Amino acid sequence: MLVYILLRLLYTIPIALGVTVFVFALIHLSGDPMSAIVAPDATAEMVEQLKKSYGFDQPLPIQYLLWLTKALQGDFGNSIVNSRPVLDTLLAAVPNTLMLAGVATLIGFAFGCILGGLAGYYQGGIVDKIATGFGIAGVSIPHYWLGMVLVIIFAVELRWLPATGMGAGGSDAWQWDWEHIRFLILPAVTLSVIPCGIITRTVRSTVAEILNQEFVQALRAKGLWHGQVMRHVARNAAPTVLAVMGLQLGYLLGGSILVETVFNWPGTGYLLNDAIFRRDVPMLQGTILLLAMFFVALNLIVDIVQTWVDPRMRRS
Amino acid sequence: MGLLLYDSLLNFDLTKPNDPSGLIPALAESYEVNKADPTKWTFKLRKGVKFHDGSEFNADAVVFNMDRLFDEKSPQYSARMVSLTNFRLPAYKAVKKIDDYTVEFETKEPDSFFPFQICYVMFASPKQWEATGKDWTKFAANPSGTGPWKLTTLKSRELAELAPNKEHWDKTRVPKLDKLTLVPMPDPSARTAALLAGQVDWIEAPSPDAMKRITSSGFKIVSNIYPHIWSWHLNFVEGSPWTDIRVRKAANLAIDRKGIVELLGGYGVEASGHVPKGDPWYGTPSFEIKTDIAAAKKLMTEAGFSAAKPAKVKMLISASGSGQMLPLQMNEYIQQNLKDVFIDVEFEVVEWQALLDLWRAGGKSPQVKGAHGVNISYTTQDPFNAMTRFLRSDLHAPKGVNFGFYSDPAMDKLLAAAQAAFDPKERDAALAKVHTKMVDDALFVWVVHDVAPRAMSPKVKGFVQVRNWFQSLSPVSIDK
């Protein structure tokens, strides 16, 4: 097991390197990083002069190597928009995203399991149709659109919940009390819709498949009642569902750009959006690398948890 | 945020909503140009002005701040500030302390526009810079200027909280509010929702399609014309249809500006030149910019075009961007208008930053692929950025942003005369001559001026929107 984990950790090195090269190339292909710092009306002459002072006049491979050497020492450089260290900004944004994505995954997971379980158990019936309908809607509705609609209903019209941000004082003043949790509800619900839909579908098909297996017949023949049978089904469905949920958490960590922007939520997605629009190259590189690493780490954790809950995998 | 925390030597007068805002003394009490050598400007500094940290503003502080921008060897040199400020001071050469409250600036050549350039330099406290470890990044989190507001909290990308500077040297500019919170919200619909939900009292640039919703919910929209022009900047290189004045005039006569203002929900002013009528620089052009399809068709026929043989132009436009208003819709509207007068327009839509790169590269660069013009909205707040930089023949791209390689010795003469007119009245009169020629030669295709709509809660009182890019929040109060 330990060897397995170590091997998986080693795999992350080439993946991380690949990501950095890819990101670096992509950003530089998309245009001139200088446009982030010079005022729109600056002349070409001025831009050239500044390029030198930021080191953007060097050939790309050299720029990349310089960046990589520093990054390996934990220095992701400074944002070219506000010259703060990228790492500090990232570390301030990560907890906000984790909080949002974590709560959204929990909501999605809870509702997904309930809906999917019901649909799988009453397969073909009206309950199944309703639950599956919810699932499909969850996957198909663009979540930024849903976010705007929820804001219009609950913040603008009813004024029950706030429209944007993390509350007075920003993320530094965050506490787990109603005054602040109010701000989390709309973005978390919005973000939970996709994982909810996906988990509903996964749970439904897994439960339906397991219910058709012979051991379930045997359990029923033994005279176990519904609840007890379902407990066995749940244990058998858990590995698949956990794997999907882990991946979903990964998607949410990286893919909440639109939701975080719509709700002005100061997490990594908002940061990424901001960095893209301002061509803040060091910030982009740092953020994307971090998000990619999140994904890799989550995959690893999911694999480990899966082995832990599924004795069959442990034995292999 | 600059003008909240800081002052300049000269500030724009942000109290008169009905006139273009002129320059008034701020950290400098007075200034004059040396008559014998007009490259030398003497500025007398205001006495008794204190930075937020309590240290004194004086000639040393002026020299310190100028070196921050222009002396690469000084420890306070800041590439970041240079990138934002220096292009606004093309004439600056050097500064010298005469005594504690007098400084002398030197310009590269005699330039009457210098006051409009120096007004963009904001003065930060040298003492606070020392106190924050001589690090501008740390200074930014804990800044100290002389402005009417002090920064109390800064959480990058989340919020800034400001408190009034009760000791401000200009008592009329001491803020009425007890606290001001600024929140960056890049998404227009998020901004609008935050206002409508009562979370914030004021938003900048609400989304145009939300204007009706905002006013019908009891919120108010404040707007005023400001020094901004939305136009097509034309390319004069060989082969461009715009080299023919008749085509340029026809295009200006074909545009239904009223329709475009309607498209903007009423938030725009029809342009009749680079600056609006009534501006001291407007002048007396004989070519009247209005909608007259018949006249436009006549001009085009004279130029040898017809419905069967239209002029073909290719324009570079963006899908979004600062000050661009609704670029796609507006450009498509103009495309329809011009089709009626035998001008076929083809667009090349590029991303905003890329558009700026092409504009800097200039109309002769292979990058622009033979485009005949570019749609970028411009500031007209100071004479250099309003006119000179597009017209002077020695500012052809990439040295300057004379994108279209426009060149006319008569225009160069007029520009030089304006730059050499040191009396403000004479300078304005000389600039009016420049503008008159611009309009009479139809050097741009002018469309609308923006009115910078901002939306606020009915509780917000006392705000006067002036005709400037900057606004003062000092007179603002909030009803409980």
Short mmCIF file of all heavy atoms in Angstrom, two decimals, chain A residues 35 37 39-42 44 50 81-84 89 151 156-157 159 163-164 170-172 183 262 264 266 270-271 274 279, chain B residues 79-80 82-83 87 137 154-159 184-186 189-190 193 196-197 199 213 351 353 356 359-360 389 398-400:
data_model
loop_
_atom_site.label_atom_id
_atom_site.label_comp_id
_atom_site.label_asym_id
_atom_site.label_seq_id
_atom_site.Cartn_x
_atom_site.Cartn_y
_atom_site.Cartn_z
N SER A 35 0.49 43.68 -21.82
CA SER A 35 -0.75 44.45 -21.83
C SER A 35 -1.40 44.48 -20.45
O SER A 35 -2.25 45.31 -20.18
CB SER A 35 -1.72 43.90 -22.88
OG SER A 35 -1.66 42.50 -22.88
N ILE A 37 0.16 45.28 -17.75
CA ILE A 37 0.72 46.33 -16.90
C ILE A 37 0.72 47.70 -17.52
O ILE A 37 0.65 48.68 -16.81
CB ILE A 37 2.15 45.99 -16.44
CG1 ILE A 37 2.81 45.07 -17.43
CG2 ILE A 37 2.15 45.43 -15.06
CD1 ILE A 37 4.19 44.69 -17.02
N ALA A 39 -0.70 50.94 -19.32
CA ALA A 39 -1.99 51.57 -19.50
C ALA A 39 -2.37 51.44 -20.97
O ALA A 39 -1.49 51.40 -21.82
CB ALA A 39 -1.90 53.02 -19.09
N PRO A 40 -3.68 51.36 -21.26
CA PRO A 40 -4.11 51.16 -22.63
C PRO A 40 -3.54 52.21 -23.60
O PRO A 40 -3.23 51.88 -24.73
CB PRO A 40 -5.63 51.28 -22.57
CG PRO A 40 -6.01 51.22 -21.15
CD PRO A 40 -4.78 51.34 -20.31
N ASP A 41 -3.35 53.44 -23.16
CA ASP A 41 -2.90 54.45 -24.14
C ASP A 41 -1.39 54.55 -24.27
O ASP A 41 -0.90 55.43 -24.93
CB ASP A 41 -3.41 55.87 -23.84
CG ASP A 41 -4.53 55.94 -22.85
OD1 ASP A 41 -4.75 54.97 -22.12
OD2 ASP A 41 -5.19 56.99 -22.79
N ALA A 42 -0.65 53.65 -23.62
CA ALA A 42 0.81 53.75 -23.72
C ALA A 42 1.28 53.45 -25.14
O ALA A 42 0.66 52.67 -25.85
CB ALA A 42 1.46 52.78 -22.75
N ALA A 44 3.96 52.13 -28.18
CA ALA A 44 4.73 50.90 -28.38
C ALA A 44 6.14 51.04 -27.81
O ALA A 44 6.70 50.11 -27.27
CB ALA A 44 4.78 50.57 -29.87
N LEU A 50 9.39 48.85 -21.03
CA LEU A 50 8.95 48.15 -19.82
C LEU A 50 9.20 46.66 -19.89
O LEU A 50 9.46 46.01 -18.89
CB LEU A 50 7.46 48.42 -19.59
CG LEU A 50 7.23 49.75 -18.90
CD1 LEU A 50 5.82 50.21 -19.13
CD2 LEU A 50 7.51 49.63 -17.42
N VAL A 81 0.13 42.62 -11.85
CA VAL A 81 -0.91 43.63 -11.73
C VAL A 81 -0.74 44.43 -10.43
O VAL A 81 -0.78 45.65 -10.44
CB VAL A 81 -2.31 42.99 -11.79
CG1 VAL A 81 -3.38 43.99 -11.43
CG2 VAL A 81 -2.55 42.44 -13.18
N ASN A 82 -0.53 43.75 -9.30
CA ASN A 82 -0.38 44.53 -8.07
C ASN A 82 0.92 44.22 -7.32
O ASN A 82 1.08 44.62 -6.17
CB ASN A 82 -1.58 44.34 -7.15
CG ASN A 82 -1.73 42.90 -6.68
OD1 ASN A 82 -0.82 42.08 -6.85
ND2 ASN A 82 -2.85 42.58 -6.07
N SER A 83 1.81 43.53 -7.98
CA SER A 83 3.15 43.17 -7.49
C SER A 83 3.19 42.49 -6.12
O SER A 83 4.20 42.49 -5.45
CB SER A 83 4.11 44.37 -7.54
OG SER A 83 3.60 45.48 -6.91
N ARG A 84 2.09 41.88 -5.70
CA ARG A 84 2.13 41.06 -4.50
C ARG A 84 2.61 39.66 -4.86
O ARG A 84 2.38 39.20 -5.97
CB ARG A 84 0.72 40.89 -3.94
CG ARG A 84 0.31 41.95 -3.02
CD ARG A 84 -1.20 41.90 -2.90
NE ARG A 84 -1.68 43.26 -2.82
CZ ARG A 84 -1.65 43.97 -1.70
NH1 ARG A 84 -1.23 43.43 -0.60
NH2 ARG A 84 -2.06 45.21 -1.69
N THR A 89 -1.23 35.45 -2.40
CA THR A 89 -2.57 35.67 -2.91
C THR A 89 -3.30 34.36 -3.07
O THR A 89 -4.47 34.23 -2.73
CB THR A 89 -2.48 36.40 -4.27
OG1 THR A 89 -1.51 37.44 -4.15
CG2 THR A 89 -3.81 36.97 -4.68
N VAL A 151 -30.08 34.65 -7.65
CA VAL A 151 -29.82 35.97 -7.08
C VAL A 151 -31.04 36.87 -7.28
O VAL A 151 -31.49 37.55 -6.35
CB VAL A 151 -28.57 36.62 -7.74
CG1 VAL A 151 -28.53 38.10 -7.46
CG2 VAL A 151 -27.31 35.97 -7.22
N VAL A 156 -32.58 39.83 -4.86
CA VAL A 156 -33.16 41.09 -5.33
C VAL A 156 -34.64 41.19 -4.98
O VAL A 156 -35.08 42.18 -4.41
CB VAL A 156 -32.94 41.22 -6.85
CG1 VAL A 156 -33.67 42.44 -7.38
CG2 VAL A 156 -31.46 41.31 -7.16
N GLU A 157 -35.42 40.14 -5.29
CA GLU A 157 -36.86 40.22 -5.07
C GLU A 157 -37.24 39.98 -3.61
O GLU A 157 -37.89 40.79 -2.98
CB GLU A 157 -37.59 39.21 -5.97
CG GLU A 157 -37.51 39.53 -7.46
CD GLU A 157 -38.12 40.90 -7.80
OE1 GLU A 157 -39.05 41.34 -7.09
OE2 GLU A 157 -37.67 41.52 -8.78
N ARG A 159 -35.13 39.43 -1.02
CA ARG A 159 -34.14 40.00 -0.09
C ARG A 159 -33.91 39.11 1.13
O ARG A 159 -33.71 39.59 2.24
CB ARG A 159 -34.56 41.40 0.36
CG ARG A 159 -34.51 42.40 -0.78
CD ARG A 159 -33.97 43.72 -0.29
NE ARG A 159 -33.83 44.65 -1.40
CZ ARG A 159 -33.42 45.90 -1.27
NH1 ARG A 159 -33.13 46.36 -0.06
NH2 ARG A 159 -33.32 46.68 -2.30
N ALA A 163 -26.58 39.06 -2.24
CA ALA A 163 -26.34 38.73 -3.64
C ALA A 163 -24.89 38.32 -3.90
O ALA A 163 -24.64 37.42 -4.70
CB ALA A 163 -26.70 39.92 -4.52
N THR A 164 -23.94 38.97 -3.26
CA THR A 164 -22.54 38.70 -3.61
C THR A 164 -21.63 38.82 -2.40
O THR A 164 -22.02 39.33 -1.35
CB THR A 164 -22.01 39.73 -4.63
OG1 THR A 164 -22.02 41.00 -4.02
CG2 THR A 164 -22.80 39.75 -5.89
N GLY A 170 -14.95 41.04 4.32
CA GLY A 170 -14.34 40.09 3.39
C GLY A 170 -13.97 38.78 4.06
O GLY A 170 -14.43 38.46 5.16
N SER A 171 -13.09 38.02 3.38
CA SER A 171 -12.81 36.66 3.83
C SER A 171 -12.09 36.63 5.18
O SER A 171 -12.17 35.65 5.91
CB SER A 171 -11.99 35.93 2.78
OG SER A 171 -10.81 36.66 2.52
N ASP A 172 -11.37 37.72 5.52
CA ASP A 172 -10.65 37.72 6.80
C ASP A 172 -11.59 37.64 7.99
O ASP A 172 -11.24 37.12 9.05
CB ASP A 172 -9.82 39.01 6.93
CG ASP A 172 -8.54 38.89 6.14
OD1 ASP A 172 -8.27 37.77 5.66
OD2 ASP A 172 -7.84 39.90 5.99
N PHE A 183 -24.14 34.25 3.26
CA PHE A 183 -23.44 34.59 2.02
C PHE A 183 -23.03 33.35 1.23
O PHE A 183 -22.79 33.40 0.05
CB PHE A 183 -22.20 35.44 2.32
CG PHE A 183 -22.52 36.86 2.68
CD1 PHE A 183 -22.85 37.21 3.97
CD2 PHE A 183 -22.52 37.84 1.70
CE1 PHE A 183 -23.16 38.52 4.30
CE2 PHE A 183 -22.83 39.15 2.02
CZ PHE A 183 -23.15 39.49 3.33
N VAL A 262 -19.79 35.34 -10.72
CA VAL A 262 -21.15 35.84 -10.58
C VAL A 262 -21.42 36.27 -9.14
O VAL A 262 -22.08 37.27 -8.89
CB VAL A 262 -22.17 34.77 -11.02
CG1 VAL A 262 -23.58 35.14 -10.59
CG2 VAL A 262 -22.12 34.57 -12.52
N ASN A 264 -19.02 37.09 -6.92
CA ASN A 264 -17.91 37.86 -6.38
C ASN A 264 -17.28 37.15 -5.17
O ASN A 264 -17.01 37.77 -4.16
CB ASN A 264 -18.39 39.25 -5.97
CG ASN A 264 -17.53 40.32 -6.58
OD1 ASN A 264 -17.24 40.25 -7.77
ND2 ASN A 264 -17.11 41.28 -5.79
N PRO A 266 -14.32 35.50 -3.36
CA PRO A 266 -12.87 35.69 -3.57
C PRO A 266 -12.05 34.41 -3.49
O PRO A 266 -11.13 34.30 -2.69
CB PRO A 266 -12.49 36.66 -2.45
CG PRO A 266 -13.49 36.43 -1.38
CD PRO A 266 -14.75 35.97 -2.03
N TYR A 270 -12.30 33.03 -9.05
CA TYR A 270 -12.39 34.48 -9.23
C TYR A 270 -11.01 35.04 -9.57
O TYR A 270 -10.84 35.86 -10.47
CB TYR A 270 -12.91 35.07 -7.92
CG TYR A 270 -13.02 36.57 -7.84
CD1 TYR A 270 -14.10 37.23 -8.43
CD2 TYR A 270 -12.07 37.31 -7.17
CE1 TYR A 270 -14.21 38.61 -8.34
CE2 TYR A 270 -12.17 38.69 -7.08
CZ TYR A 270 -13.24 39.34 -7.67
OH TYR A 270 -13.33 40.68 -7.57
N LEU A 271 -10.02 34.53 -8.86
CA LEU A 271 -8.64 34.93 -9.09
C LEU A 271 -8.21 34.61 -10.52
O LEU A 271 -7.60 35.43 -11.21
CB LEU A 271 -7.76 34.16 -8.10
CG LEU A 271 -6.35 34.64 -7.82
CD1 LEU A 271 -6.40 36.02 -7.22
CD2 LEU A 271 -5.68 33.68 -6.86
N ASP A 274 -9.90 36.88 -13.03
CA ASP A 274 -9.26 38.18 -12.97
C ASP A 274 -7.90 38.15 -13.68
O ASP A 274 -7.57 39.03 -14.46
CB ASP A 274 -9.09 38.54 -11.49
CG ASP A 274 -8.69 39.96 -11.28
OD1 ASP A 274 -9.49 40.83 -11.69
OD2 ASP A 274 -7.60 40.21 -10.74
N ARG A 279 -4.36 39.43 -18.04
CA ARG A 279 -3.13 38.82 -18.52
C ARG A 279 -2.04 38.85 -17.46
O ARG A 279 -0.89 39.18 -17.74
CB ARG A 279 -2.62 39.56 -19.77
CG ARG A 279 -3.52 39.40 -20.95
CD ARG A 279 -2.82 38.55 -22.00
NE ARG A 279 -3.66 38.43 -23.18
CZ ARG A 279 -3.52 39.17 -24.26
NH1 ARG A 279 -2.57 40.05 -24.32
NH2 ARG A 279 -4.32 39.02 -25.27
N ALA B 79 8.79 50.46 -11.37
CA ALA B 79 8.43 50.15 -12.76
C ALA B 79 6.92 50.11 -12.93
O ALA B 79 6.38 50.49 -13.97
CB ALA B 79 9.04 48.82 -13.18
N ARG B 80 6.25 49.68 -11.89
CA ARG B 80 4.80 49.56 -11.98
C ARG B 80 4.15 50.94 -12.13
O ARG B 80 3.27 51.14 -12.95
CB ARG B 80 4.31 48.85 -10.72
CG ARG B 80 2.87 48.95 -10.46
CD ARG B 80 2.20 47.60 -10.27
NE ARG B 80 0.78 47.81 -10.24
CZ ARG B 80 0.04 47.91 -11.31
NH1 ARG B 80 0.57 47.79 -12.51
NH2 ARG B 80 -1.24 48.12 -11.21
N VAL B 82 5.66 53.60 -13.18
CA VAL B 82 6.13 54.13 -14.47
C VAL B 82 5.18 53.70 -15.58
O VAL B 82 4.78 54.50 -16.42
CB VAL B 82 7.56 53.62 -14.75
CG1 VAL B 82 7.97 53.90 -16.18
CG2 VAL B 82 8.54 54.27 -13.78
N SER B 83 4.79 52.42 -15.54
CA SER B 83 3.95 51.91 -16.62
C SER B 83 2.58 52.59 -16.63
O SER B 83 1.93 52.66 -17.65
CB SER B 83 3.79 50.40 -16.47
OG SER B 83 3.00 50.10 -15.33
N PHE B 87 3.66 57.66 -19.57
CA PHE B 87 3.24 58.00 -20.92
C PHE B 87 2.37 59.26 -20.93
O PHE B 87 2.13 59.85 -21.97
CB PHE B 87 2.50 56.83 -21.56
CG PHE B 87 1.13 56.61 -20.99
CD1 PHE B 87 0.01 57.09 -21.66
CD2 PHE B 87 0.96 55.93 -19.79
CE1 PHE B 87 -1.25 56.90 -21.13
CE2 PHE B 87 -0.29 55.75 -19.26
CZ PHE B 87 -1.40 56.23 -19.93
N THR B 137 5.05 47.73 -2.60
CA THR B 137 3.95 46.78 -2.42
C THR B 137 3.41 46.88 -1.00
O THR B 137 2.19 46.88 -0.79
CB THR B 137 4.44 45.35 -2.70
OG1 THR B 137 5.11 45.35 -3.94
CG2 THR B 137 3.29 44.38 -2.74
N LEU B 154 -7.13 47.20 3.57
CA LEU B 154 -7.05 46.79 2.17
C LEU B 154 -6.93 45.29 2.12
O LEU B 154 -6.01 44.71 2.68
CB LEU B 154 -5.85 47.43 1.47
CG LEU B 154 -5.67 46.99 0.03
CD1 LEU B 154 -6.75 47.59 -0.87
CD2 LEU B 154 -4.31 47.38 -0.50
N LYS B 155 -7.91 44.66 1.46
CA LYS B 155 -7.83 43.23 1.22
C LYS B 155 -7.84 43.11 -0.29
O LYS B 155 -8.88 43.31 -0.92
CB LYS B 155 -9.04 42.54 1.88
CG LYS B 155 -9.04 41.04 1.74
CD LYS B 155 -8.50 40.36 3.00
CE LYS B 155 -8.53 38.85 2.86
NZ LYS B 155 -7.51 38.28 2.00
N SER B 156 -6.67 42.79 -0.85
CA SER B 156 -6.51 42.79 -2.30
C SER B 156 -7.60 41.97 -2.98
O SER B 156 -7.89 40.86 -2.57
CB SER B 156 -5.14 42.22 -2.64
OG SER B 156 -4.99 42.15 -4.02
N ARG B 157 -8.22 42.53 -4.02
CA ARG B 157 -9.27 41.91 -4.83
C ARG B 157 -10.59 41.74 -4.07
O ARG B 157 -11.55 41.24 -4.61
CB ARG B 157 -8.85 40.55 -5.36
CG ARG B 157 -7.81 40.64 -6.46
CD ARG B 157 -7.59 39.28 -7.09
NE ARG B 157 -6.71 39.40 -8.22
CZ ARG B 157 -5.38 39.47 -8.12
NH1 ARG B 157 -4.81 39.44 -6.94
NH2 ARG B 157 -4.65 39.57 -9.19
N GLU B 158 -10.64 42.14 -2.80
CA GLU B 158 -11.90 41.98 -2.07
C GLU B 158 -12.51 43.32 -1.69
O GLU B 158 -13.65 43.60 -2.04
CB GLU B 158 -11.69 41.12 -0.83
CG GLU B 158 -11.57 39.65 -1.15
CD GLU B 158 -11.58 38.82 0.10
OE1 GLU B 158 -12.45 39.03 0.95
OE2 GLU B 158 -10.69 37.95 0.24
N LEU B 159 -11.77 44.12 -0.95
CA LEU B 159 -12.33 45.40 -0.54
C LEU B 159 -11.27 46.36 -0.03
O LEU B 159 -10.17 45.96 0.34
CB LEU B 159 -13.40 45.20 0.55
CG LEU B 159 -12.98 44.48 1.83
CD1 LEU B 159 -12.50 45.46 2.88
CD2 LEU B 159 -14.18 43.72 2.38
N PRO B 184 -14.34 45.61 -5.48
CA PRO B 184 -14.24 45.36 -6.93
C PRO B 184 -15.23 44.28 -7.34
O PRO B 184 -15.28 43.21 -6.74
CB PRO B 184 -12.80 44.87 -7.11
CG PRO B 184 -12.42 44.28 -5.79
CD PRO B 184 -13.24 44.97 -4.73
N MET B 185 -16.06 44.58 -8.34
CA MET B 185 -16.99 43.58 -8.86
C MET B 185 -16.91 43.62 -10.37
O MET B 185 -17.58 44.43 -11.00
CB MET B 185 -18.42 43.91 -8.43
CG MET B 185 -18.70 43.66 -6.98
SD MET B 185 -20.50 43.63 -6.70
CE MET B 185 -20.51 43.90 -4.94
N PRO B 186 -16.08 42.76 -10.96
CA PRO B 186 -15.86 42.86 -12.40
C PRO B 186 -17.10 42.53 -13.24
O PRO B 186 -17.21 43.00 -14.36
CB PRO B 186 -14.74 41.85 -12.67
CG PRO B 186 -14.53 41.09 -11.41
CD PRO B 186 -15.27 41.74 -10.30
N SER B 189 -23.47 42.23 -14.16
CA SER B 189 -24.75 41.78 -13.62
C SER B 189 -24.63 41.51 -12.13
O SER B 189 -25.59 41.69 -11.37
CB SER B 189 -25.28 40.57 -14.38
OG SER B 189 -24.33 39.57 -14.40
N ALA B 190 -23.44 41.10 -11.67
CA ALA B 190 -23.23 40.93 -10.23
C ALA B 190 -23.31 42.28 -9.52
O ALA B 190 -23.90 42.39 -8.45
CB ALA B 190 -21.87 40.27 -9.97
N ALA B 193 -26.95 43.35 -9.38
CA ALA B 193 -27.68 42.58 -8.37
C ALA B 193 -27.34 43.05 -6.96
O ALA B 193 -28.21 43.17 -6.10
CB ALA B 193 -27.37 41.09 -8.53
N LEU B 196 -29.29 46.22 -6.37
CA LEU B 196 -30.72 45.99 -6.23
C LEU B 196 -31.04 45.24 -4.94
O LEU B 196 -32.11 45.41 -4.36
CB LEU B 196 -31.26 45.22 -7.44
CG LEU B 196 -31.22 45.98 -8.77
CD1 LEU B 196 -31.66 45.07 -9.91
CD2 LEU B 196 -32.09 47.22 -8.71
N ALA B 197 -30.12 44.41 -4.48
CA ALA B 197 -30.36 43.66 -3.25
C ALA B 197 -30.06 44.50 -2.01
O ALA B 197 -30.19 44.02 -0.90
CB ALA B 197 -29.49 42.39 -3.24
N GLN B 199 -27.20 45.57 -1.06
CA GLN B 199 -25.92 45.26 -0.42
C GLN B 199 -24.93 46.41 -0.54
O GLN B 199 -24.08 46.60 0.32
CB GLN B 199 -25.32 44.04 -1.10
CG GLN B 199 -25.17 42.87 -0.17
CD GLN B 199 -24.54 41.73 -0.91
OE1 GLN B 199 -25.13 41.18 -1.85
NE2 GLN B 199 -23.34 41.36 -0.52
N ARG B 213 -34.59 48.39 -15.25
CA ARG B 213 -34.85 47.63 -14.02
C ARG B 213 -34.40 48.45 -12.81
O ARG B 213 -35.04 48.47 -11.78
CB ARG B 213 -34.06 46.33 -14.13
CG ARG B 213 -34.12 45.40 -12.96
CD ARG B 213 -35.33 44.49 -13.08
NE ARG B 213 -35.44 43.58 -11.95
CZ ARG B 213 -35.79 43.97 -10.73
NH1 ARG B 213 -36.06 45.22 -10.50
NH2 ARG B 213 -35.88 43.08 -9.75
N GLU B 351 -9.73 40.46 -29.74
CA GLU B 351 -9.83 40.65 -28.29
C GLU B 351 -9.28 42.03 -27.94
O GLU B 351 -8.41 42.56 -28.63
CB GLU B 351 -9.05 39.52 -27.62
CG GLU B 351 -9.24 39.37 -26.15
CD GLU B 351 -8.00 39.74 -25.40
OE1 GLU B 351 -6.91 39.76 -26.01
OE2 GLU B 351 -8.12 40.03 -24.20
N GLN B 353 -7.30 43.46 -25.64
CA GLN B 353 -5.86 43.71 -25.48
C GLN B 353 -5.14 43.57 -26.80
O GLN B 353 -4.21 44.31 -27.10
CB GLN B 353 -5.25 42.74 -24.45
CG GLN B 353 -5.80 42.87 -23.05
CD GLN B 353 -5.36 44.14 -22.35
OE1 GLN B 353 -4.61 44.95 -22.91
NE2 GLN B 353 -5.83 44.36 -21.15
N LEU B 356 -5.54 46.67 -28.81
CA LEU B 356 -4.61 47.73 -28.38
C LEU B 356 -3.21 47.47 -28.94
O LEU B 356 -2.52 48.40 -29.37
CB LEU B 356 -4.56 47.80 -26.86
CG LEU B 356 -5.83 48.30 -26.17
CD1 LEU B 356 -5.69 48.19 -24.66
CD2 LEU B 356 -6.14 49.74 -26.56
N TRP B 359 -3.21 48.53 -32.50
CA TRP B 359 -3.27 49.99 -32.57
C TRP B 359 -1.89 50.59 -32.33
O TRP B 359 -1.46 51.51 -33.03
CB TRP B 359 -4.29 50.43 -31.52
CG TRP B 359 -4.39 51.87 -31.20
CD1 TRP B 359 -4.88 52.85 -32.02
CD2 TRP B 359 -4.06 52.51 -29.97
NE1 TRP B 359 -4.85 54.06 -31.36
CE2 TRP B 359 -4.36 53.88 -30.10
CE3 TRP B 359 -3.54 52.06 -28.75
CZ2 TRP B 359 -4.17 54.80 -29.07
CZ3 TRP B 359 -3.36 52.97 -27.73
CH2 TRP B 359 -3.66 54.32 -27.89
N ARG B 360 -1.18 50.02 -31.35
CA ARG B 360 0.17 50.52 -31.08
C ARG B 360 1.10 50.23 -32.24
O ARG B 360 2.00 51.01 -32.54
CB ARG B 360 0.74 49.85 -29.82
CG ARG B 360 0.14 50.36 -28.57
CD ARG B 360 0.87 49.81 -27.35
NE ARG B 360 0.04 49.99 -26.18
CZ ARG B 360 -0.55 49.00 -25.53
NH1 ARG B 360 -0.38 47.76 -25.90
NH2 ARG B 360 -1.31 49.26 -24.49
N ARG B 389 -1.51 63.48 -30.06
CA ARG B 389 -0.88 62.17 -30.27
C ARG B 389 -1.39 61.44 -31.52
O ARG B 389 -0.73 60.55 -32.03
CB ARG B 389 -1.07 61.29 -29.03
CG ARG B 389 -2.51 61.00 -28.70
CD ARG B 389 -2.59 60.02 -27.53
NE ARG B 389 -3.98 59.83 -27.14
CZ ARG B 389 -4.41 58.78 -26.47
NH1 ARG B 389 -3.58 57.83 -26.13
NH2 ARG B 389 -5.68 58.69 -26.12
N PRO B 398 5.33 53.04 -34.65
CA PRO B 398 5.13 52.71 -33.24
C PRO B 398 5.74 53.72 -32.26
O PRO B 398 5.68 53.47 -31.07
CB PRO B 398 5.84 51.36 -33.11
CG PRO B 398 6.96 51.43 -34.08
CD PRO B 398 6.49 52.32 -35.21
N LYS B 399 6.29 54.85 -32.76
CA LYS B 399 6.87 55.82 -31.82
C LYS B 399 5.76 56.40 -30.96
O LYS B 399 5.89 56.55 -29.75
CB LYS B 399 7.59 56.91 -32.60
CG LYS B 399 8.27 57.94 -31.71
CD LYS B 399 9.18 58.84 -32.53
CE LYS B 399 10.00 59.78 -31.66
NZ LYS B 399 9.20 60.77 -30.96
N GLY B 400 4.68 56.77 -31.60
CA GLY B 400 3.52 57.29 -30.89
C GLY B 400 2.30 56.51 -31.31
O GLY B 400 2.42 55.40 -31.85
#
